[in-house]
Amino acid sequence: MILAVCLKRVPDSNARPTIGPDGKSINPGIEYVINPYDEFAIEEALRLKEKAGAGEVVGICVDPDGNESMLRKALGMGVDRGILLKGGSPFDGAVNAEILAGVLKPLGAKIIFFGKQAIDSDSCQVPTLVAERLNLPRANVVVKLELQGDKVICRRQIEGAEEVVEMPTPCVVSAQKGLNEPRYPSMKGIMAAKKKPIDAKAAPAAEPRIEILNMEAPPARPAGRIVGKGKDAVPELVRLLREEAKVL
Amino acid sequence: MPNPILVFVEQRDGKVRKAGLEAVSEAARLGEAAAVIVGSGVAALAAEAGRAGAKKVFIADDPRFRLYAPEGYARAVHVALQKSGASAVFMAATSMGKDLAPAVAALADTAVAADCTGLSMEGGRLIARRPVYAGKMYLRVGFKKGPAVCTLRPNVFALSKDGNASPAVEDLKLTVADGDLRTLVKEIVATSGGKVELTEASIIVTAGRGLGSPEAFKMRDDLAAVLGAAVGASRAVVDNGWRPHSEQVGQTGKTVSPNLYIAIAVSGAIQHLAGMSSSKVIVAINKDPDAPIFKVATYGIVGDAFEVVPALTEEFKKVLHH
Ligand SMILES: Cc1cc2nc3c(=O)[nH]c(=O)nc-3n(C[C@H](O)[C@H](O)[C@H](O)COP(=O)(O)OP(=O)(O)OC[C@H]3O[C@@H](n4cnc5c(N)ncnc54)[C@H](O)[C@@H]3O)c2cc1C
Ligand SMILES: Nc1ncnc2c1ncn2[C@@H]1O[C@H](COP(=O)(O)O)[C@@H](O)[C@H]1O
């Protein structure tokens, strides 16, 4: 049983990105991490393999810098081998999906795991675009998963509820927080990871679907003010909300 | 007739989502709006899409579409797209829209501009403004090839109701084989959480770790009840197991943009701000005058939540119910 996990290298959620000289991307020099949702994906694949007592977990990363550090971390968690494709785009999900689908097609994975969203592009589209390219069923934003032979039964989070979804394998699953508690790589895992293989190559050219015109800082919030201290300030706050802000 | 913008109007249990109608109104503002409604016994909903601005409404009615059916819904939207010759497809950035939009984009060989907060026509070309890095930056994007597929953030685009309640209606007469529907939604299980859905609420009351215990969240719920608001929590609260993850606001929770966001005993960490700083008015109540939340707050009260929040609830009761 082969299980694939797609993971993206993204700026740490604590980072404060600044706009680069091209006006379309951010300046380098910030801290990067494995996309947090992809850690749930990695953990779920590892657990399925452990439960089955056999199989291989393959991590795949498309990165414009060809940086292997996130794959190395995944190998430290227990992923068996990595495929690194130098190329892709931080924001064009269709480009990344095309590249990923090209690698995934011959791999023959039973389940292809993704995070539900990359915290840089915030686009929630790569898992579904890959599924469609490979003609596979999908379930996104999954918080619970069970593999029963050639069938996956999972729960996907929706507004105030969960959908119970059933689909045949091979299939695509994108992970939401709550699916599991990702493990930390052990010392032994980190040592072992140094010897695990990463197949690094250039990503094939893919067709851009979107054009980035420019990047902008978020609209500045008008300066706020402290209305007062303690409960004495409450009537004035309520008055401002009604008469000045007019939100009530 | 120009190429319309096709809007997928989401319904669950025969009720259309307001955010879907907001998308119709925005499409009508940009050009001519058409809508597609998918479900079982949903033809009567066409009037609501019409009122929101749709000139024409496509219906895909099938008993197997009672619950969301990913492959079937995508087929229906794609067929409506071909029939209408639409230049773009809009839908609300809800859990259904976020799942469906990329499937439609794949069928049309384009990509999605997700969670758009601004849309405009510039020289006949659709330009989308959308957040990246959890709203720390915004991108303005165009599409290299059509049709453009966009999901629209709920609560951002104004809903208009002065359209024609009797739009032209066309049944898509979709034929779907059972084998085409591989992903089956078997049932929907309600989870705990507030009664008002966070991402679509116009008022949200959120509380953080500063409340000290799960019991103290009653003051949050009482305040929310008076305002008819949805309730939110910070990640620290969720990690402590005080409240479910479905209430979490922020980078790894929900992104919200209500008219009024009240943050009680929330420090305002960058990951929390990512999820709520596009709210129209922000009120912060915190005992620490240097808490970062005050930097984004429209109005702040420095003080103890245990004293301020009950007083605020009483004051609202007084002014709102008279
Ligand atoms: C990858 C990643 C993702 C994250 N995603 C999210 C996310 O989605 N959402 C999120 O919220 N956080 C997220 N965080 C966590 C974030 O960094 C903060 O740790 C978290 O938001 C803090 O929650 P808090 O404000 O409730 O608690 P604290 O930071 O502990 O703040 C408590 C506040 O309460 C005030 N206070 C205490 N007692 C009182 C009182 N009696 N009356 C009034 N005020 C009082 C204090 O002054 C303080 O400001 C994420 C972190 C990481 C690394
Ligand atoms: N460049 C990439 N390399 C590997 N996986 C990716 C890449 N981009 C996106 N993904 C995967 O797709 C998920 C959703 O990304 P997105 O659609 O961009 O929000 C991520 O959580 C990853 O699992």
mmCIF file of all heavy atoms in Angstrom, chain A residues 13 36, chain B residues 208-210 234-236 248-253 265-269 271-272 285-288 291 303-306, ligand 1:
data_model
loop_
_atom_site.group_PDB
_atom_site.id
_atom_site.type_symbol
_atom_site.label_atom_id
_atom_site.label_comp_id
_atom_site.label_asym_id
_atom_site.label_seq_id
_atom_site.Cartn_x
_atom_site.Cartn_y
_atom_site.Cartn_z
ATOM 1 N N SER A 13 3.472 31.050 10.571
ATOM 2 C CA SER A 13 2.298 31.904 10.791
ATOM 3 C C SER A 13 2.635 33.135 11.630
ATOM 4 O O SER A 13 1.887 34.097 11.653
ATOM 5 C CB SER A 13 1.180 31.098 11.448
ATOM 6 O OG SER A 13 1.566 30.683 12.734
ATOM 7 N N PRO A 36 0.977 23.924 8.253
ATOM 8 C CA PRO A 36 0.454 23.228 9.444
ATOM 9 C C PRO A 36 -0.568 22.133 9.131
ATOM 10 O O PRO A 36 -0.551 21.083 9.771
ATOM 11 C CB PRO A 36 -0.200 24.348 10.257
ATOM 12 C CG PRO A 36 0.383 25.615 9.757
ATOM 13 C CD PRO A 36 0.910 25.375 8.378
ATOM 14 N N GLY B 208 -11.274 34.713 25.058
ATOM 15 C CA GLY B 208 -9.966 34.079 25.057
ATOM 16 C C GLY B 208 -9.612 33.463 26.397
ATOM 17 O O GLY B 208 -10.435 33.396 27.320
ATOM 18 N N ARG B 209 -8.375 33.034 26.475
ATOM 19 C CA ARG B 209 -7.862 32.321 27.640
ATOM 20 C C ARG B 209 -7.987 33.134 28.922
ATOM 21 O O ARG B 209 -8.040 32.587 30.015
ATOM 22 C CB ARG B 209 -6.397 31.939 27.384
ATOM 23 C CG ARG B 209 -5.695 31.301 28.558
ATOM 24 C CD ARG B 209 -4.510 30.489 28.117
ATOM 25 N NE ARG B 209 -3.580 31.272 27.308
ATOM 26 C CZ ARG B 209 -2.585 30.723 26.605
ATOM 27 N NH1 ARG B 209 -2.407 29.418 26.616
ATOM 28 N NH2 ARG B 209 -1.781 31.489 25.894
ATOM 29 N N GLY B 210 -8.006 34.474 28.767
ATOM 30 C CA GLY B 210 -8.087 35.339 29.940
ATOM 31 C C GLY B 210 -9.305 35.061 30.811
ATOM 32 O O GLY B 210 -9.326 35.462 31.975
ATOM 33 N N SER B 234 -10.564 31.799 21.018
ATOM 34 C CA SER B 234 -9.185 31.816 20.532
ATOM 35 C C SER B 234 -8.646 30.388 20.537
ATOM 36 O O SER B 234 -9.245 29.480 21.113
ATOM 37 C CB SER B 234 -8.315 32.677 21.440
ATOM 38 O OG SER B 234 -8.182 32.024 22.692
ATOM 39 N N ARG B 235 -7.509 30.223 19.905
ATOM 40 C CA ARG B 235 -6.936 28.878 19.865
ATOM 41 C C ARG B 235 -6.532 28.383 21.250
ATOM 42 O O ARG B 235 -6.644 27.194 21.543
ATOM 43 C CB ARG B 235 -5.725 28.863 18.940
ATOM 44 C CG ARG B 235 -4.960 27.570 19.063
ATOM 45 C CD ARG B 235 -4.053 27.343 17.902
ATOM 46 N NE ARG B 235 -2.985 26.438 18.300
ATOM 47 C CZ ARG B 235 -1.988 26.099 17.509
ATOM 48 N NH1 ARG B 235 -1.925 26.580 16.302
ATOM 49 N NH2 ARG B 235 -1.064 25.291 17.921
ATOM 50 N N ALA B 236 -6.048 29.294 22.093
ATOM 51 C CA ALA B 236 -5.639 28.866 23.433
ATOM 52 C C ALA B 236 -6.808 28.193 24.151
ATOM 53 O O ALA B 236 -6.645 27.198 24.858
ATOM 54 C CB ALA B 236 -5.134 30.074 24.227
ATOM 55 N N GLN B 248 -13.216 28.198 16.783
ATOM 56 C CA GLN B 248 -11.940 28.923 16.733
ATOM 57 C C GLN B 248 -11.883 29.928 15.587
ATOM 58 O O GLN B 248 -12.176 29.613 14.443
ATOM 59 C CB GLN B 248 -10.779 27.934 16.594
ATOM 60 C CG GLN B 248 -9.416 28.623 16.614
ATOM 61 C CD GLN B 248 -8.274 27.618 16.542
ATOM 62 O OE1 GLN B 248 -8.326 26.577 17.182
ATOM 63 N NE2 GLN B 248 -7.268 27.930 15.753
ATOM 64 N N VAL B 249 -11.476 31.136 15.929
ATOM 65 C CA VAL B 249 -11.270 32.188 14.933
ATOM 66 C C VAL B 249 -9.773 32.392 14.762
ATOM 67 O O VAL B 249 -9.038 32.423 15.741
ATOM 68 C CB VAL B 249 -11.923 33.508 15.407
ATOM 69 C CG1 VAL B 249 -11.565 34.653 14.472
ATOM 70 C CG2 VAL B 249 -13.438 33.348 15.498
ATOM 71 N N GLY B 250 -9.323 32.509 13.534
ATOM 72 C CA GLY B 250 -7.910 32.798 13.311
ATOM 73 C C GLY B 250 -7.329 31.977 12.185
ATOM 74 O O GLY B 250 -8.053 31.310 11.444
ATOM 75 N N GLN B 251 -6.022 32.057 12.092
ATOM 76 C CA GLN B 251 -5.303 31.430 10.986
ATOM 77 C C GLN B 251 -5.633 29.954 10.827
ATOM 78 O O GLN B 251 -5.805 29.474 9.718
ATOM 79 C CB GLN B 251 -3.807 31.587 11.239
ATOM 80 C CG GLN B 251 -2.964 30.996 10.151
ATOM 81 C CD GLN B 251 -1.852 31.923 9.741
ATOM 82 O OE1 GLN B 251 -1.332 32.688 10.526
ATOM 83 N NE2 GLN B 251 -1.494 31.858 8.490
ATOM 84 N N THR B 252 -5.700 29.219 11.922
ATOM 85 C CA THR B 252 -6.032 27.796 11.814
ATOM 86 C C THR B 252 -7.460 27.546 12.285
ATOM 87 O O THR B 252 -7.810 26.443 12.678
ATOM 88 C CB THR B 252 -5.020 26.920 12.584
ATOM 89 O OG1 THR B 252 -4.751 27.526 13.853
ATOM 90 C CG2 THR B 252 -3.737 26.789 11.829
ATOM 91 N N GLY B 253 -8.262 28.584 12.271
ATOM 92 C CA GLY B 253 -9.674 28.439 12.593
ATOM 93 C C GLY B 253 -10.470 29.074 11.471
ATOM 94 O O GLY B 253 -10.140 28.898 10.301
ATOM 95 N N ALA B 265 -10.934 39.350 26.562
ATOM 96 C CA ALA B 265 -9.790 38.637 27.141
ATOM 97 C C ALA B 265 -9.034 37.822 26.091
ATOM 98 O O ALA B 265 -8.658 36.685 26.319
ATOM 99 C CB ALA B 265 -10.241 37.749 28.303
ATOM 100 N N VAL B 266 -8.878 38.438 24.932
ATOM 101 C CA VAL B 266 -8.086 37.865 23.834
ATOM 102 C C VAL B 266 -6.887 38.791 23.666
ATOM 103 O O VAL B 266 -7.065 40.014 23.578
ATOM 104 C CB VAL B 266 -8.908 37.835 22.528
ATOM 105 C CG1 VAL B 266 -8.048 37.426 21.343
ATOM 106 C CG2 VAL B 266 -10.121 36.919 22.667
ATOM 107 N N SER B 267 -5.665 38.226 23.627
ATOM 108 C CA SER B 267 -4.493 39.108 23.585
ATOM 109 C C SER B 267 -4.336 39.774 22.214
ATOM 110 O O SER B 267 -3.830 40.883 22.119
ATOM 111 C CB SER B 267 -3.231 38.328 23.947
ATOM 112 O OG SER B 267 -3.038 37.265 23.049
ATOM 113 N N GLY B 268 -4.752 39.061 21.138
ATOM 114 C CA GLY B 268 -4.589 39.630 19.800
ATOM 115 C C GLY B 268 -3.314 39.172 19.131
ATOM 116 O O GLY B 268 -2.645 39.948 18.449
ATOM 117 N N ALA B 269 -2.994 37.880 19.286
ATOM 118 C CA ALA B 269 -1.826 37.298 18.610
ATOM 119 C C ALA B 269 -2.040 37.412 17.103
ATOM 120 O O ALA B 269 -3.175 37.430 16.622
ATOM 121 C CB ALA B 269 -1.672 35.830 19.001
ATOM 122 N N GLN B 271 -1.851 35.389 14.760
ATOM 123 C CA GLN B 271 -2.673 34.345 14.124
ATOM 124 C C GLN B 271 -4.155 34.552 14.415
ATOM 125 O O GLN B 271 -5.005 34.111 13.657
ATOM 126 C CB GLN B 271 -2.257 32.955 14.606
ATOM 127 C CG GLN B 271 -0.829 32.567 14.253
ATOM 128 C CD GLN B 271 0.159 32.888 15.355
ATOM 129 O OE1 GLN B 271 -0.155 33.616 16.294
ATOM 130 N NE2 GLN B 271 1.361 32.347 15.240
ATOM 131 N N HIS B 272 -4.469 35.181 15.535
ATOM 132 C CA HIS B 272 -5.875 35.478 15.809
ATOM 133 C C HIS B 272 -6.336 36.651 14.934
ATOM 134 O O HIS B 272 -7.394 36.584 14.302
ATOM 135 C CB HIS B 272 -6.102 35.797 17.290
ATOM 136 C CG HIS B 272 -7.563 35.905 17.635
ATOM 137 N ND1 HIS B 272 -8.333 34.798 17.907
ATOM 138 C CD2 HIS B 272 -8.409 36.961 17.693
ATOM 139 C CE1 HIS B 272 -9.593 35.177 18.118
ATOM 140 N NE2 HIS B 272 -9.659 36.492 18.003
ATOM 141 N N ILE B 285 -12.040 44.089 24.897
ATOM 142 C CA ILE B 285 -12.114 44.248 26.354
ATOM 143 C C ILE B 285 -10.973 43.434 26.929
ATOM 144 O O ILE B 285 -10.922 42.203 26.758
ATOM 145 C CB ILE B 285 -13.473 43.749 26.892
ATOM 146 C CG1 ILE B 285 -14.608 44.572 26.272
ATOM 147 C CG2 ILE B 285 -13.497 43.815 28.420
ATOM 148 C CD1 ILE B 285 -15.969 43.940 26.421
ATOM 149 N N ASN B 286 -10.025 44.115 27.558
ATOM 150 C CA ASN B 286 -8.843 43.422 28.043
ATOM 151 C C ASN B 286 -8.281 44.191 29.220
ATOM 152 O O ASN B 286 -8.311 45.427 29.227
ATOM 153 C CB ASN B 286 -7.801 43.322 26.912
ATOM 154 C CG ASN B 286 -6.734 42.279 27.203
ATOM 155 O OD1 ASN B 286 -6.036 42.363 28.214
ATOM 156 N ND2 ASN B 286 -6.624 41.307 26.318
ATOM 157 N N LYS B 287 -7.769 43.464 30.221
ATOM 158 C CA LYS B 287 -7.279 44.178 31.398
ATOM 159 C C LYS B 287 -5.883 44.756 31.182
ATOM 160 O O LYS B 287 -5.434 45.609 31.949
ATOM 161 C CB LYS B 287 -7.323 43.278 32.633
ATOM 162 C CG LYS B 287 -6.359 42.118 32.614
ATOM 163 C CD LYS B 287 -6.449 41.348 33.926
ATOM 164 C CE LYS B 287 -5.404 40.251 33.956
ATOM 165 N NZ LYS B 287 -5.592 39.319 35.051
ATOM 166 N N ASP B 288 -5.226 44.301 30.104
ATOM 167 C CA ASP B 288 -3.869 44.793 29.835
ATOM 168 C C ASP B 288 -3.927 45.900 28.781
ATOM 169 O O ASP B 288 -4.219 45.642 27.614
ATOM 170 C CB ASP B 288 -3.022 43.613 29.341
ATOM 171 C CG ASP B 288 -1.650 44.045 28.857
ATOM 172 O OD1 ASP B 288 -1.298 45.237 29.049
ATOM 173 O OD2 ASP B 288 -0.937 43.198 28.287
ATOM 174 N N ALA B 291 -2.196 45.203 25.445
ATOM 175 C CA ALA B 291 -2.521 44.011 24.643
ATOM 176 C C ALA B 291 -2.605 44.403 23.172
ATOM 177 O O ALA B 291 -3.213 45.416 22.825
ATOM 178 C CB ALA B 291 -3.842 43.405 25.115
ATOM 179 N N GLY B 303 -10.125 46.785 31.200
ATOM 180 C CA GLY B 303 -10.768 46.391 32.447
ATOM 181 C C GLY B 303 -10.939 44.899 32.560
ATOM 182 O O GLY B 303 -10.617 44.142 31.636
ATOM 183 N N ASP B 304 -11.455 44.505 33.710
ATOM 184 C CA ASP B 304 -11.649 43.098 34.027
ATOM 185 C C ASP B 304 -12.935 42.611 33.349
ATOM 186 O O ASP B 304 -14.014 43.167 33.573
ATOM 187 C CB ASP B 304 -11.748 42.951 35.551
ATOM 188 C CG ASP B 304 -11.881 41.493 35.971
ATOM 189 O OD1 ASP B 304 -11.979 40.615 35.086
ATOM 190 O OD2 ASP B 304 -11.882 41.249 37.190
ATOM 191 N N ALA B 305 -12.792 41.563 32.547
ATOM 192 C CA ALA B 305 -13.947 41.026 31.825
ATOM 193 C C ALA B 305 -15.088 40.665 32.769
ATOM 194 O O ALA B 305 -16.255 40.843 32.431
ATOM 195 C CB ALA B 305 -13.532 39.786 31.018
ATOM 196 N N PHE B 306 -14.726 40.176 33.943
ATOM 197 C CA PHE B 306 -15.760 39.730 34.885
ATOM 198 C C PHE B 306 -16.631 40.891 35.374
ATOM 199 O O PHE B 306 -17.744 40.695 35.817
ATOM 200 C CB PHE B 306 -15.115 38.981 36.059
ATOM 201 C CG PHE B 306 -14.559 37.647 35.632
ATOM 202 C CD1 PHE B 306 -13.293 37.555 35.060
ATOM 203 C CD2 PHE B 306 -15.316 36.489 35.755
ATOM 204 C CE1 PHE B 306 -12.783 36.331 34.635
ATOM 205 C CE2 PHE B 306 -14.821 35.254 35.341
ATOM 206 C CZ PHE B 306 -13.548 35.181 34.782
HETATM 207 C C1 LIG C 1 0.579 27.799 13.542
HETATM 208 C C2 LIG C 1 -0.227 28.571 14.553
HETATM 209 C C3 LIG C 1 -1.558 28.799 14.291
HETATM 210 C C4 LIG C 1 -2.355 29.505 15.204
HETATM 211 N N1 LIG C 1 -3.663 29.719 14.901
HETATM 212 C C5 LIG C 1 -4.434 30.426 15.772
HETATM 213 C C6 LIG C 1 -5.805 30.688 15.480
HETATM 214 O O1 LIG C 1 -6.354 30.247 14.467
HETATM 215 N N2 LIG C 1 -6.520 31.409 16.361
HETATM 216 C C7 LIG C 1 -5.988 31.898 17.528
HETATM 217 O O2 LIG C 1 -6.715 32.541 18.289
HETATM 218 N N3 LIG C 1 -4.695 31.654 17.821
HETATM 219 C C8 LIG C 1 -3.915 30.914 16.990
HETATM 220 N N4 LIG C 1 -2.621 30.647 17.345
HETATM 221 C C9 LIG C 1 -2.188 30.920 18.723
HETATM 222 C C10 LIG C 1 -1.812 32.352 19.011
HETATM 223 O O3 LIG C 1 -0.438 32.508 18.730
HETATM 224 C C11 LIG C 1 -2.073 32.685 20.512
HETATM 225 O O4 LIG C 1 -1.359 31.774 21.311
HETATM 226 C C12 LIG C 1 -3.533 32.631 20.932
HETATM 227 O O5 LIG C 1 -4.329 33.377 20.029
HETATM 228 C C13 LIG C 1 -3.689 33.204 22.326
HETATM 229 O O6 LIG C 1 -5.012 33.083 22.772
HETATM 230 P P1 LIG C 1 -5.601 34.106 23.852
HETATM 231 O O7 LIG C 1 -5.530 35.484 23.327
HETATM 232 O O8 LIG C 1 -6.938 33.584 24.241
HETATM 233 O O9 LIG C 1 -4.665 33.881 25.119
HETATM 234 P P2 LIG C 1 -3.516 34.781 25.731
HETATM 235 O O10 LIG C 1 -2.535 35.177 24.742
HETATM 236 O O11 LIG C 1 -3.092 34.060 26.945
HETATM 237 O O12 LIG C 1 -4.269 36.126 26.149
HETATM 238 C C14 LIG C 1 -5.167 36.244 27.190
HETATM 239 C C15 LIG C 1 -5.528 37.709 27.297
HETATM 240 O O13 LIG C 1 -6.536 37.870 28.277
HETATM 241 C C16 LIG C 1 -6.269 39.037 29.045
HETATM 242 N N5 LIG C 1 -6.924 38.831 30.341
HETATM 243 C C17 LIG C 1 -6.598 37.956 31.326
HETATM 244 N N6 LIG C 1 -7.479 38.015 32.318
HETATM 245 C C18 LIG C 1 -8.406 38.953 31.984
HETATM 246 C C19 LIG C 1 -9.553 39.460 32.624
HETATM 247 N N7 LIG C 1 -9.969 39.004 33.802
HETATM 248 N N8 LIG C 1 -10.253 40.415 31.988
HETATM 249 C C20 LIG C 1 -9.853 40.902 30.779
HETATM 250 N N9 LIG C 1 -8.760 40.450 30.136
HETATM 251 C C21 LIG C 1 -8.050 39.471 30.727
HETATM 252 C C22 LIG C 1 -4.776 39.115 29.117
HETATM 253 O O14 LIG C 1 -4.358 40.465 29.334
HETATM 254 C C23 LIG C 1 -4.378 38.608 27.726
HETATM 255 O O15 LIG C 1 -4.265 39.673 26.818
HETATM 256 C C24 LIG C 1 -1.794 29.959 16.432
HETATM 257 C C25 LIG C 1 -0.459 29.737 16.686
HETATM 258 C C26 LIG C 1 0.340 29.054 15.765
HETATM 259 C C27 LIG C 1 1.779 28.851 16.072
#
